[in-house]
PDB file of all heavy atoms in Angstrom:
ATOM      1  N   PHE A   1     -15.130   2.006  53.623  1.00 91.00           N
ATOM      2  CA  PHE A   1     -14.447   2.950  54.508  1.00 91.00           C
ATOM      3  C   PHE A   1     -13.099   2.383  54.954  1.00 91.00           C
ATOM      4  O   PHE A   1     -12.072   3.077  54.923  1.00 91.00           O
ATOM      5  CB  PHE A   1     -15.332   3.243  55.721  1.00 91.00           C
ATOM      6  CG  PHE A   1     -14.722   4.191  56.710  1.00 91.00           C
ATOM      7  CD1 PHE A   1     -14.795   5.562  56.509  1.00 91.00           C
ATOM      8  CD2 PHE A   1     -14.072   3.715  57.851  1.00 91.00           C
ATOM      9  CE1 PHE A   1     -14.227   6.450  57.424  1.00 91.00           C
ATOM     10  CE2 PHE A   1     -13.502   4.597  58.764  1.00 91.00           C
ATOM     11  CZ  PHE A   1     -13.587   5.967  58.547  1.00 91.00           C
ATOM     12  N   ALA A   2     -13.085   1.105  55.360  1.00 92.00           N
ATOM     13  CA  ALA A   2     -11.849   0.471  55.814  1.00 92.00           C
ATOM     14  C   ALA A   2     -10.845   0.346  54.672  1.00 92.00           C
ATOM     15  O   ALA A   2      -9.646   0.604  54.858  1.00 92.00           O
ATOM     16  CB  ALA A   2     -12.154  -0.902  56.410  1.00 92.00           C
ATOM     17  N   VAL A   3     -11.334  -0.041  53.495  1.00 93.00           N
ATOM     18  CA  VAL A   3     -10.440  -0.221  52.349  1.00 93.00           C
ATOM     19  C   VAL A   3      -9.841   1.103  51.905  1.00 93.00           C
ATOM     20  O   VAL A   3      -8.677   1.176  51.496  1.00 93.00           O
ATOM     21  CB  VAL A   3     -11.195  -0.889  51.181  1.00 93.00           C
ATOM     22  CG1 VAL A   3     -10.391  -0.813  49.878  1.00 93.00           C
ATOM     23  CG2 VAL A   3     -11.487  -2.349  51.514  1.00 93.00           C
ATOM     24  N   LYS A   4     -10.607   2.177  52.007  1.00 91.00           N
ATOM     25  CA  LYS A   4     -10.113   3.507  51.631  1.00 91.00           C
ATOM     26  C   LYS A   4      -8.855   3.860  52.421  1.00 91.00           C
ATOM     27  O   LYS A   4      -7.840   4.305  51.844  1.00 91.00           O
ATOM     28  CB  LYS A   4     -11.207   4.546  51.879  1.00 91.00           C
ATOM     29  CG  LYS A   4     -10.746   5.988  51.674  1.00 91.00           C
ATOM     30  CD  LYS A   4     -11.863   6.964  52.020  1.00 91.00           C
ATOM     31  CE  LYS A   4     -11.378   8.412  51.925  1.00 91.00           C
ATOM     32  NZ  LYS A   4     -12.450   9.375  52.283  1.00 91.00           N
ATOM     33  N   TYR A   5      -8.893   3.639  53.732  1.00 92.00           N
ATOM     34  CA  TYR A   5      -7.756   3.998  54.571  1.00 92.00           C
ATOM     35  C   TYR A   5      -6.642   2.961  54.481  1.00 92.00           C
ATOM     36  O   TYR A   5      -5.452   3.309  54.592  1.00 92.00           O
ATOM     37  CB  TYR A   5      -8.213   4.196  56.011  1.00 92.00           C
ATOM     38  CG  TYR A   5      -8.971   5.499  56.157  1.00 92.00           C
ATOM     39  CD1 TYR A   5     -10.357   5.526  56.087  1.00 92.00           C
ATOM     40  CD2 TYR A   5      -8.286   6.704  56.310  1.00 92.00           C
ATOM     41  CE1 TYR A   5     -11.049   6.724  56.178  1.00 92.00           C
ATOM     42  CE2 TYR A   5      -8.972   7.902  56.410  1.00 92.00           C
ATOM     43  CZ  TYR A   5     -10.350   7.906  56.338  1.00 92.00           C
ATOM     44  OH  TYR A   5     -11.034   9.105  56.418  1.00 92.00           O
ATOM     45  N   LEU A   6      -6.995   1.713  54.246  1.00 93.00           N
ATOM     46  CA  LEU A   6      -5.978   0.683  54.039  1.00 93.00           C
ATOM     47  C   LEU A   6      -5.186   0.965  52.764  1.00 93.00           C
ATOM     48  O   LEU A   6      -3.957   0.858  52.739  1.00 93.00           O
ATOM     49  CB  LEU A   6      -6.651  -0.692  53.949  1.00 93.00           C
ATOM     50  CG  LEU A   6      -5.727  -1.910  53.820  1.00 93.00           C
ATOM     51  CD1 LEU A   6      -4.864  -2.053  55.064  1.00 93.00           C
ATOM     52  CD2 LEU A   6      -6.553  -3.177  53.602  1.00 93.00           C
ATOM     53  N   HIS A   7      -5.893   1.366  51.711  1.00 93.00           N
ATOM     54  CA  HIS A   7      -5.246   1.683  50.438  1.00 93.00           C
ATOM     55  C   HIS A   7      -4.385   2.935  50.560  1.00 93.00           C
ATOM     56  O   HIS A   7      -3.294   3.015  49.976  1.00 93.00           O
ATOM     57  CB  HIS A   7      -6.313   1.875  49.359  1.00 93.00           C
ATOM     58  CG  HIS A   7      -5.765   2.208  48.013  1.00 93.00           C
ATOM     59  ND1 HIS A   7      -4.687   1.554  47.451  1.00 93.00           N
ATOM     60  CD2 HIS A   7      -6.144   3.145  47.093  1.00 93.00           C
ATOM     61  CE1 HIS A   7      -4.424   2.059  46.257  1.00 93.00           C
ATOM     62  NE2 HIS A   7      -5.293   3.030  46.028  1.00 93.00           N
ATOM     63  N   ALA A   8      -4.845   3.905  51.333  1.00 94.00           N
ATOM     64  CA  ALA A   8      -4.059   5.128  51.523  1.00 94.00           C
ATOM     65  C   ALA A   8      -2.770   4.832  52.292  1.00 94.00           C
ATOM     66  O   ALA A   8      -1.708   5.393  51.994  1.00 94.00           O
ATOM     67  CB  ALA A   8      -4.891   6.161  52.275  1.00 94.00           C
ATOM     68  N   ALA A   9      -2.847   3.925  53.269  1.00 94.00           N
ATOM     69  CA  ALA A   9      -1.665   3.596  54.073  1.00 94.00           C
ATOM     70  C   ALA A   9      -0.706   2.684  53.322  1.00 94.00           C
ATOM     71  O   ALA A   9       0.514   2.778  53.490  1.00 94.00           O
ATOM     72  CB  ALA A   9      -2.104   2.935  55.378  1.00 94.00           C
ATOM     73  N   LEU A  10      -1.267   1.785  52.487  1.00 94.00           N
ATOM     74  CA  LEU A  10      -0.447   0.807  51.751  1.00 94.00           C
ATOM     75  C   LEU A  10      -0.839   0.836  50.280  1.00 94.00           C
ATOM     76  O   LEU A  10      -1.546  -0.050  49.788  1.00 94.00           O
ATOM     77  CB  LEU A  10      -0.652  -0.594  52.331  1.00 94.00           C
ATOM     78  CG  LEU A  10      -0.314  -0.774  53.821  1.00 94.00           C
ATOM     79  CD1 LEU A  10      -0.823  -2.112  54.327  1.00 94.00           C
ATOM     80  CD2 LEU A  10       1.194  -0.663  54.042  1.00 94.00           C
ATOM     81  N   PRO A  11      -0.401   1.850  49.536  1.00 93.00           N
ATOM     82  CA  PRO A  11      -0.843   2.008  48.144  1.00 93.00           C
ATOM     83  C   PRO A  11      -0.416   0.879  47.214  1.00 93.00           C
ATOM     84  O   PRO A  11      -1.019   0.694  46.160  1.00 93.00           O
ATOM     85  CB  PRO A  11      -0.209   3.343  47.726  1.00 93.00           C
ATOM     86  CG  PRO A  11       0.912   3.562  48.678  1.00 93.00           C
ATOM     87  CD  PRO A  11       0.488   2.952  49.967  1.00 93.00           C
ATOM     88  N   ASP A  12       0.617   0.119  47.573  1.00 93.00           N
ATOM     89  CA  ASP A  12       1.076  -0.986  46.718  1.00 93.00           C
ATOM     90  C   ASP A  12       0.360  -2.298  47.024  1.00 93.00           C
ATOM     91  O   ASP A  12       0.619  -3.315  46.367  1.00 93.00           O
ATOM     92  CB  ASP A  12       2.592  -1.187  46.888  1.00 93.00           C
ATOM     93  CG  ASP A  12       3.392   0.001  46.368  1.00 93.00           C
ATOM     94  OD1 ASP A  12       2.931   0.631  45.389  1.00 93.00           O
ATOM     95  OD2 ASP A  12       4.462   0.297  46.934  1.00 93.00           O
ATOM     96  N   LEU A  13      -0.508  -2.295  48.009  1.00 94.00           N
ATOM     97  CA  LEU A  13      -1.239  -3.508  48.372  1.00 94.00           C
ATOM     98  C   LEU A  13      -2.247  -3.857  47.283  1.00 94.00           C
ATOM     99  O   LEU A  13      -2.969  -2.996  46.788  1.00 94.00           O
ATOM    100  CB  LEU A  13      -1.967  -3.290  49.700  1.00 94.00           C
ATOM    101  CG  LEU A  13      -2.593  -4.525  50.359  1.00 94.00           C
ATOM    102  CD1 LEU A  13      -1.501  -5.450  50.880  1.00 94.00           C
ATOM    103  CD2 LEU A  13      -3.500  -4.095  51.516  1.00 94.00           C
ATOM    104  N   THR A  14      -2.306  -5.130  46.903  1.00 94.00           N
ATOM    105  CA  THR A  14      -3.229  -5.581  45.869  1.00 94.00           C
ATOM    106  C   THR A  14      -4.235  -6.575  46.458  1.00 94.00           C
ATOM    107  O   THR A  14      -4.005  -7.138  47.536  1.00 94.00           O
ATOM    108  CB  THR A  14      -2.482  -6.256  44.707  1.00 94.00           C
ATOM    109  OG1 THR A  14      -1.946  -7.518  45.168  1.00 94.00           O
ATOM    110  CG2 THR A  14      -1.353  -5.370  44.189  1.00 94.00           C
ATOM    111  N   PRO A  15      -5.345  -6.833  45.756  1.00 93.00           N
ATOM    112  CA  PRO A  15      -6.308  -7.829  46.242  1.00 93.00           C
ATOM    113  C   PRO A  15      -5.695  -9.215  46.403  1.00 93.00           C
ATOM    114  O   PRO A  15      -6.052  -9.937  47.339  1.00 93.00           O
ATOM    115  CB  PRO A  15      -7.380  -7.818  45.140  1.00 93.00           C
ATOM    116  CG  PRO A  15      -7.287  -6.467  44.524  1.00 93.00           C
ATOM    117  CD  PRO A  15      -5.834  -6.115  44.571  1.00 93.00           C
ATOM    118  N   ASN A  16      -4.776  -9.592  45.515  1.00 94.00           N
ATOM    119  CA  ASN A  16      -4.134 -10.901  45.645  1.00 94.00           C
ATOM    120  C   ASN A  16      -3.292 -10.988  46.916  1.00 94.00           C
ATOM    121  O   ASN A  16      -3.186 -12.062  47.525  1.00 94.00           O
ATOM    122  CB  ASN A  16      -3.259 -11.194  44.425  1.00 94.00           C
ATOM    123  CG  ASN A  16      -4.083 -11.570  43.206  1.00 94.00           C
ATOM    124  OD1 ASN A  16      -5.285 -11.809  43.312  1.00 94.00           O
ATOM    125  ND2 ASN A  16      -3.444 -11.626  42.057  1.00 94.00           N
ATOM    126  N   HIS A  17      -2.684  -9.861  47.324  1.00 94.00           N
ATOM    127  CA  HIS A  17      -1.958  -9.849  48.588  1.00 94.00           C
ATOM    128  C   HIS A  17      -2.902 -10.174  49.743  1.00 94.00           C
ATOM    129  O   HIS A  17      -2.570 -10.979  50.618  1.00 94.00           O
ATOM    130  CB  HIS A  17      -1.319  -8.473  48.826  1.00 94.00           C
ATOM    131  CG  HIS A  17      -0.169  -8.169  47.926  1.00 94.00           C
ATOM    132  ND1 HIS A  17       0.131  -6.890  47.494  1.00 94.00           N
ATOM    133  CD2 HIS A  17       0.753  -8.975  47.348  1.00 94.00           C
ATOM    134  CE1 HIS A  17       1.197  -6.926  46.730  1.00 94.00           C
ATOM    135  NE2 HIS A  17       1.582  -8.176  46.610  1.00 94.00           N
ATOM    136  N   LEU A  18      -4.070  -9.544  49.740  1.00 95.00           N
ATOM    137  CA  LEU A  18      -5.032  -9.773  50.815  1.00 95.00           C
ATOM    138  C   LEU A  18      -5.488 -11.228  50.844  1.00 95.00           C
ATOM    139  O   LEU A  18      -5.577 -11.841  51.910  1.00 95.00           O
ATOM    140  CB  LEU A  18      -6.235  -8.849  50.648  1.00 95.00           C
ATOM    141  CG  LEU A  18      -5.994  -7.348  50.863  1.00 95.00           C
ATOM    142  CD1 LEU A  18      -7.281  -6.564  50.625  1.00 95.00           C
ATOM    143  CD2 LEU A  18      -5.469  -7.082  52.261  1.00 95.00           C
ATOM    144  N   SER A  19      -5.798 -11.782  49.664  1.00 94.00           N
ATOM    145  CA  SER A  19      -6.232 -13.177  49.596  1.00 94.00           C
ATOM    146  C   SER A  19      -5.140 -14.109  50.089  1.00 94.00           C
ATOM    147  O   SER A  19      -5.403 -15.077  50.825  1.00 94.00           O
ATOM    148  CB  SER A  19      -6.611 -13.539  48.153  1.00 94.00           C
ATOM    149  OG  SER A  19      -7.706 -12.769  47.705  1.00 94.00           O
ATOM    150  N   LEU A  20      -3.891 -13.822  49.695  1.00 95.00           N
ATOM    151  CA  LEU A  20      -2.768 -14.670  50.108  1.00 95.00           C
ATOM    152  C   LEU A  20      -2.521 -14.564  51.602  1.00 95.00           C
ATOM    153  O   LEU A  20      -2.337 -15.581  52.293  1.00 95.00           O
ATOM    154  CB  LEU A  20      -1.515 -14.269  49.334  1.00 95.00           C
ATOM    155  CG  LEU A  20      -0.265 -15.122  49.579  1.00 95.00           C
ATOM    156  CD1 LEU A  20      -0.525 -16.568  49.190  1.00 95.00           C
ATOM    157  CD2 LEU A  20       0.930 -14.566  48.812  1.00 95.00           C
ATOM    158  N   PHE A  21      -2.526 -13.326  52.130  1.00 96.00           N
ATOM    159  CA  PHE A  21      -2.329 -13.143  53.569  1.00 96.00           C
ATOM    160  C   PHE A  21      -3.434 -13.841  54.364  1.00 96.00           C
ATOM    161  O   PHE A  21      -3.184 -14.396  55.436  1.00 96.00           O
ATOM    162  CB  PHE A  21      -2.302 -11.652  53.921  1.00 96.00           C
ATOM    163  CG  PHE A  21      -1.124 -10.902  53.364  1.00 96.00           C
ATOM    164  CD1 PHE A  21      -1.193  -9.540  53.149  1.00 96.00           C
ATOM    165  CD2 PHE A  21       0.043 -11.571  53.042  1.00 96.00           C
ATOM    166  CE1 PHE A  21      -0.101  -8.845  52.637  1.00 96.00           C
ATOM    167  CE2 PHE A  21       1.139 -10.893  52.529  1.00 96.00           C
ATOM    168  CZ  PHE A  21       1.064  -9.522  52.317  1.00 96.00           C
ATOM    169  N   SER A  22      -4.649 -13.797  53.829  1.00 95.00           N
ATOM    170  CA  SER A  22      -5.765 -14.453  54.502  1.00 95.00           C
ATOM    171  C   SER A  22      -5.547 -15.963  54.582  1.00 95.00           C
ATOM    172  O   SER A  22      -5.701 -16.569  55.650  1.00 95.00           O
ATOM    173  CB  SER A  22      -7.076 -14.157  53.764  1.00 95.00           C
ATOM    174  OG  SER A  22      -8.153 -14.871  54.344  1.00 95.00           O
ATOM    175  N   ALA A  23      -5.164 -16.567  53.470  1.00 95.00           N
ATOM    176  CA  ALA A  23      -4.940 -18.014  53.450  1.00 95.00           C
ATOM    177  C   ALA A  23      -3.790 -18.404  54.374  1.00 95.00           C
ATOM    178  O   ALA A  23      -3.875 -19.401  55.121  1.00 95.00           O
ATOM    179  CB  ALA A  23      -4.656 -18.475  52.026  1.00 95.00           C
ATOM    180  N   ILE A  24      -2.697 -17.623  54.342  1.00 97.00           N
ATOM    181  CA  ILE A  24      -1.542 -17.920  55.197  1.00 97.00           C
ATOM    182  C   ILE A  24      -1.922 -17.770  56.673  1.00 97.00           C
ATOM    183  O   ILE A  24      -1.534 -18.598  57.518  1.00 97.00           O
ATOM    184  CB  ILE A  24      -0.366 -16.987  54.846  1.00 97.00           C
ATOM    185  CG1 ILE A  24       0.189 -17.323  53.460  1.00 97.00           C
ATOM    186  CG2 ILE A  24       0.745 -17.107  55.892  1.00 97.00           C
ATOM    187  CD1 ILE A  24       1.251 -16.365  52.977  1.00 97.00           C
ATOM    188  N   GLY A  25      -2.702 -16.738  56.990  1.00 97.00           N
ATOM    189  CA  GLY A  25      -3.114 -16.527  58.368  1.00 97.00           C
ATOM    190  C   GLY A  25      -3.980 -17.660  58.894  1.00 97.00           C
ATOM    191  O   GLY A  25      -3.759 -18.164  60.009  1.00 97.00           O
ATOM    192  N   VAL A  26      -4.958 -18.083  58.092  1.00 97.00           N
ATOM    193  CA  VAL A  26      -5.839 -19.180  58.519  1.00 97.00           C
ATOM    194  C   VAL A  26      -5.049 -20.482  58.648  1.00 97.00           C
ATOM    195  O   VAL A  26      -5.228 -21.243  59.612  1.00 97.00           O
ATOM    196  CB  VAL A  26      -7.004 -19.345  57.521  1.00 97.00           C
ATOM    197  CG1 VAL A  26      -7.802 -20.606  57.835  1.00 97.00           C
ATOM    198  CG2 VAL A  26      -7.916 -18.127  57.560  1.00 97.00           C
ATOM    199  N   ALA A  27      -4.176 -20.755  57.678  1.00 97.00           N
ATOM    200  CA  ALA A  27      -3.379 -21.981  57.726  1.00 97.00           C
ATOM    201  C   ALA A  27      -2.433 -21.981  58.931  1.00 97.00           C
ATOM    202  O   ALA A  27      -2.258 -23.016  59.596  1.00 97.00           O
ATOM    203  CB  ALA A  27      -2.583 -22.143  56.432  1.00 97.00           C
ATOM    204  N   SER A  28      -1.850 -20.827  59.223  1.00 97.00           N
ATOM    205  CA  SER A  28      -0.941 -20.727  60.373  1.00 97.00           C
ATOM    206  C   SER A  28      -1.694 -20.941  61.677  1.00 97.00           C
ATOM    207  O   SER A  28      -1.229 -21.666  62.574  1.00 97.00           O
ATOM    208  CB  SER A  28      -0.252 -19.359  60.388  1.00 97.00           C
ATOM    209  OG  SER A  28       0.534 -19.171  59.225  1.00 97.00           O
ATOM    210  N   ALA A  29      -2.856 -20.303  61.808  1.00 97.00           N
ATOM    211  CA  ALA A  29      -3.670 -20.479  63.012  1.00 97.00           C
ATOM    212  C   ALA A  29      -4.083 -21.936  63.178  1.00 97.00           C
ATOM    213  O   ALA A  29      -4.040 -22.491  64.284  1.00 97.00           O
ATOM    214  CB  ALA A  29      -4.901 -19.584  62.940  1.00 97.00           C
ATOM    215  N   SER A  30      -4.472 -22.569  62.075  1.00 97.00           N
ATOM    216  CA  SER A  30      -4.897 -23.974  62.125  1.00 97.00           C
ATOM    217  C   SER A  30      -3.754 -24.875  62.574  1.00 97.00           C
ATOM    218  O   SER A  30      -3.954 -25.826  63.345  1.00 97.00           O
ATOM    219  CB  SER A  30      -5.398 -24.409  60.750  1.00 97.00           C
ATOM    220  OG  SER A  30      -6.490 -23.610  60.331  1.00 97.00           O
ATOM    221  N   THR A  31      -2.534 -24.589  62.085  1.00 97.00           N
ATOM    222  CA  THR A  31      -1.372 -25.388  62.470  1.00 97.00           C
ATOM    223  C   THR A  31      -1.029 -25.198  63.944  1.00 97.00           C
ATOM    224  O   THR A  31      -0.739 -26.166  64.659  1.00 97.00           O
ATOM    225  CB  THR A  31      -0.154 -25.014  61.603  1.00 97.00           C
ATOM    226  OG1 THR A  31      -0.475 -25.221  60.224  1.00 97.00           O
ATOM    227  CG2 THR A  31       1.058 -25.856  61.966  1.00 97.00           C
ATOM    228  N   LEU A  32      -1.060 -23.962  64.416  1.00 97.00           N
ATOM    229  CA  LEU A  32      -0.738 -23.681  65.813  1.00 97.00           C
ATOM    230  C   LEU A  32      -1.680 -24.414  66.765  1.00 97.00           C
ATOM    231  O   LEU A  32      -1.264 -24.865  67.845  1.00 97.00           O
ATOM    232  CB  LEU A  32      -0.802 -22.176  66.076  1.00 97.00           C
ATOM    233  CG  LEU A  32       0.310 -21.331  65.456  1.00 97.00           C
ATOM    234  CD1 LEU A  32       0.018 -19.841  65.642  1.00 97.00           C
ATOM    235  CD2 LEU A  32       1.660 -21.686  66.079  1.00 97.00           C
TER     236      LEU A  32
END
């Protein structure tokens, strides 16, 4: 359900984008 609306809002978003954003977010939080 969440992915359906995420894909509709951001049709160019790919799974690799999500994986990359996840890693960057965790690394940034860890550094802070």
Side-chain angles (χ1 to χ4, degrees):
F1 179 82
V3 167
K4 173 183 175 181
Y5 286 95
L6 184 64
H7 180 45
L10 301 169
D12 294 327
L13 190 70
T14 69
N16 285 349
H17 289 148
L18 292 179
S19 297
L20 184 60
F21 294 155
S22 175
I24 291 174
V26 171
S28 298
S30 301
T31 302
L32 289 173

